[in-house]
Amino acid sequence: MKKTLIALALVAAGSAAAPAFAQDSNGAAGWFINGNVGRTSVDKGRYDGHDTGYALNGGYRWAVSPWAALGVEAGYNDLGNIHAKNLFNGDRVVDRRKSELHGWTAGVNGHFNITPQWYVSARGGIYGWRGHGLSNDDLDRHNIDKTSWYAGAGVGYDFSNNWSLGINYDHYDADKHGVDLSTNMTSVSAEYRF
């Protein structure tokens, strides 16, 4: 609960300070929402496979130069479901249920224009996740949750000051009690800036 309150306080403080950063950064500054859809992959322990995942984010960026904007973000993701494998031969185990991983993110991000339309992006922060899966040591299914971290980078194209489309690679750390659901996601993203 403390971490959630701290994150909300940072977002509130940032939005109060927004008028102090009034430089242009090709429209990347200000309030934004974005969504990603893509392929998730896990290659840890009993889990080695891929599925489809999505993420939704919102936040605020401040222009720090004509080509760069830095900000805060918060969001939610669902990183798909993957069948557990037998550690000895790669076949599915007796438990036919799939892993599950989803959670909330809160962090910082950057949007850096390398030309007036092309940009690179970066993000990272805390990841409060909940998952279900098998450990390497037994066949008992565990319901687990933890606060960990996420980080990612991307490249994209600004179609206007309001719309952009990009390709991202993100890592979400999710490991507890011998159940490693840490997931990578390669995705296509769309962003709208207000």
Side-chain angles (χ1 to χ4, degrees):
M1 184 67 175
K2 279 185 177 179
K3 292 178 183 175
T4 303
L5 292 175
I6 291 170
L8 290 174
L10 288 173
V11 170
S15 58
F21 295 92
Q23 300 175 18
D24 179 33
S25 61
N26 290 328
W31 292 101
F32 68 89
I33 57 172
N34 60 39
N36 303 34
V37 175
R39 179 182 165 137
T40 60
S41 62
V42 177
D43 60 357
K44 305 286 184 187
R46 289 193 182 272
Y47 295 99
D48 186 5
H50 56 85
D51 198 12
T52 300
Y54 70 88
L56 301 170
N57 293 293
Y60 192 90
R61 283 191 208 103
W62 295 270
V64 294
S65 78
W67 55 270
L70 301 174
V72 294
E73 66 181 14
Y76 176 81
N77 62 42
D78 185 330
L79 299 177
N81 307 302
I82 296 174
H83 281 289
K85 305 278 191 209
N86 186 310
L87 290 176
F88 300 107
N89 60 21
D91 294 336
R92 286 187 185 171
V93 296
V94 175
D95 185 347
R96 297 286 184 205
R97 294 174 292 180
K98 298 178 180 181
S99 71
E100 297 176 26
L101 181 62
H102 53 92
W104 295 92
T105 58
V108 295
N109 66 68
H111 184 104
F112 309 97
N113 286 88
I114 51 179
T115 72
Q117 282 77 38
W118 289 98
Y119 69 88
V120 294
S121 64
R123 70 204 60 80
I126 59 173
Y127 182 41
W129 58 271
R130 180 176 301 266
H132 309 281
L134 301 173
S135 73
N136 289 336
D137 302 328
D138 59 47
L139 291 178
D140 291 331
R141 189 170 172 83
H142 300 275
N143 296 327
I144 50 179
D145 58 74
K146 185 178 176 182
T147 300
S148 192
W149 60 274
Y150 75 98
V155 63
Y157 189 84
D158 291 323
F159 289 96
S160 70
N161 282 346
N162 300 101
W163 286 102
S164 65
L165 197 61
I167 298 172
N168 301 301
Y169 179 82
D170 298 289
H171 176 78
Y172 298 90
D173 185 68
D175 185 3
K176 184 178 180 181
H177 299 312
V179 180
D180 193 348
L181 302 174
S182 296
T183 301
N184 298 316
M185 182 165 77
T186 304
S187 63
V188 174
S189 66
E191 179 172 282
Y192 180 75
R193 295 179 290 272
F194 299 94

